Amino acid sequence: MREVAVVTSAQSPCLAANRRDDMSGILLPVLREALAGIELSRDRVDFVVSGSHDFHEGRTFAYIDSLDAVGAWPPISESHVEMDAAWAFYEAWAWLQLGHGDIALVYGIGRGSLPRNLDQVVPTQLDPYLLTPLRPHQDAIGGLQACALLEAGVTTEQEMARIVARSLADARSNPHAQVSGEYATDTLLAEPYVASPLRRHDVAPVGDAAAVVVLAAGDVARSLTDRPAWVRGIDHRMDTHYPGARDLTHAPSARRAATEAAKTAGFGAADVDVAELHIEYSAQEPLLVRELGLGAATAINPSGGPLAGRPTTATGLLRISEAAAAVRTGRAGRALAHATNGQALQQNLVCLLEGGTRA
């Protein structure tokens, strides 16, 4: 298997709503920052792949606007996925494995603030015959899963509040997070429910942001940075689409993705120093820690994670970016990045990263 590494990444602050910039306006400064970090000109990029959600824009092929920032002339090799850009990352990794080029640029743009009412948008990803007509609000399925997890003893409301408090405290040291104030567990538990047992702070806040990650293969990666974050294993799996046909206290596709990624990485989730988890609800963290098999010493979402900001369709790519940054800066020798798509952890991707050179 060809060695591939993350050599640079960048992201914009996750704003509750960005009404000043269009897609290319959000992306361009992030793109420039990522390329400038390794003094890489855009004409050296062999492949560009993105992830975004045209449904939020209310028009088809809306992502084409972002190519104004990328530069589509002279003609480039380009692709797009209509889901979280973590899956665009997977496509770029697979493309490099084929040997068609040495450098791939991945970007994701989340503009979740655009819909006037997300309660009308989110249910459309459910079964169109039986569930979508019921019009469950955007956090209804998350509330059902959280309730099931509490009843099964996987977590408690107190633990959920502690997870939120820790995440928001960590986010204050992240320049890209928009977090202020102090968050005590008792204060959080006094807040009203939005979808029992979920309170507003238990729900990752939707916002607008862009993320860029650059991948390079072999010696090209070594020439671009002193410490590449090597992608040692990556895999994605999915569970059945219908949430009523699943046991929501388990995430078998997450467990399987971690197991398969570990086979090629030569190490597993229990061996990583940092894990960046794509949790849209605080109750999902204990579930993923168990399903992935993370060790007790692993730092979970030291960046603050999605509970500090969730740019739709860029959140999973940000987990890869943050995990890779931990490796590239020497804060972690090994790291795990997790991304999810769909309701209640329906689809899951796991990426295992490592610094240094494999013997």
Side-chain angles (χ1 to χ4, degrees):
M1 187 172 70
R2 197 180 192 199
E3 278 195 311
V4 171
V6 174
V7 293
T8 187
S9 60
Q11 64 188 83
S12 63
C14 185
L15 305 178
N18 185 342
R19 292 293 180 267
R20 185 190 68 180
D21 302 309
D22 59 11
M23 266 191 172
S24 58
I26 296 174
L27 176 62
L28 185 57
V30 184
L31 186 68
R32 287 174 172 169
E33 179 186 347
L35 297 180
I38 53 173
E39 299 182 352
L40 181 71
S41 60
R42 278 185 286 181
D43 59 6
R44 288 192 61 193
V45 175
D46 301 305
F47 183 53
V48 176
V49 57
S50 60
S52 63
H53 204 331
D54 289 350
F55 211 77
H56 283 171
E57 304 281 332
R59 54 201 174 100
T60 58
F61 288 98
Y63 83 95
I64 293 296
D65 289 352
S66 66
L67 293 179
D68 288 341
V70 175
W73 185 266
I76 61 173
S77 177
E78 184 268 338
S79 183
H80 175 263
V81 299
E82 181 71 13
M83 60 193 304
D84 194 287
W87 275 261
F89 180 93
Y90 188 94
E91 181 178 345
W93 175 86
W95 189 91
L96 290 170
Q97 292 298 321
L98 296 174
H100 293 323
D102 296 316
I103 300 174
L105 186 148
V106 185
Y107 67 90
I109 303 178
R111 303 183 76 193
S113 74
L114 284 183
R116 291 184 60 188
N117 186 356
L118 276 174
D119 287 344
Q120 293 181 337
V121 174
V122 174
T124 59
Q125 66 183 300
L126 298 170
D127 171 76
Y129 302 104
L130 300 176
L131 289 185
T132 298
L134 298 177
R135 296 293 178 189
H137 64 78
Q138 59 182 303
D139 300 317
I141 304 298
L144 289 174
Q145 183 176 42
C147 186
L149 290 168
L150 259 66
E151 290 181 354
V154 177
T155 188
T156 64
E157 292 189 43
Q158 289 74 21
E159 182 181 27
M160 290 161 58
R162 287 194 295 270
I163 289 169
V164 173
R166 185 208 71 221
S167 297
L168 298 182
D170 289 343
R172 280 195 285 271
S173 62
N174 185 340
H176 301 107
Q178 303 293 302
V179 176
S180 61
E182 298 294 328
Y183 297 90
T185 300
D186 291 343
T187 302
L188 295 174
L189 288 171
E191 294 295 316
Y193 294 117
V194 295
S196 180
L198 298 174
R199 297 172 169 87
R200 177 52 56 196
H201 52 261
D202 291 310
V203 181
V206 173
D208 299 348
V212 171
V213 174
V214 177
L215 288 163
D219 290 338
V220 174
R222 296 181 181 91
S223 70
L224 291 172
T225 181
D226 293 333
R227 187 178 170 85
W230 297 103
V231 180
R232 297 305 191 193
I234 184 169
D235 194 84
H236 67 100
R237 302 283 161 162
M238 61 188 295
D239 293 314
T240 182
H241 173 249
Y242 200 84
R246 289 190 272 142
D247 179 352
L248 297 182
T249 65
H250 292 273
S253 60
R255 181 186 292 268
R256 178 71 183 277
T259 299
E260 296 300 321
K263 289 180 180 178
T264 54
F267 63 90
D271 304 311
V272 303
D273 306 304
V274 166
E276 285 284 341
L277 305 182
H278 184 172
I279 57 170
E280 298 188 351
Y281 303 98
S282 61
Q284 292 176 338
E285 183 180 303
L287 170 61
L288 285 171
V289 167
R290 183 193 68 190
E291 295 293 273
L292 298 175
L294 292 169
T298 302
I300 309 295
N301 286 347
S303 66
L307 291 175
R310 173 172 43 128
T312 311
T313 67
T315 309
L317 183 63
L318 282 174
R319 307 283 61 78
I320 296 174
S321 174
E322 293 285 3
V327 172
R328 289 189 293 107
T329 59
R331 290 182 286 115
R334 291 170 171 172
L336 178 149
H338 162 265
T340 189
N341 206 76
Q343 292 277 343
L345 301 173
Q346 190 244 336
Q347 301 182 54
N348 292 279
L349 179 148
V350 171
C351 178
L352 293 170
L353 301 126
E354 184 180 39
T357 302
R358 174 169 287 174

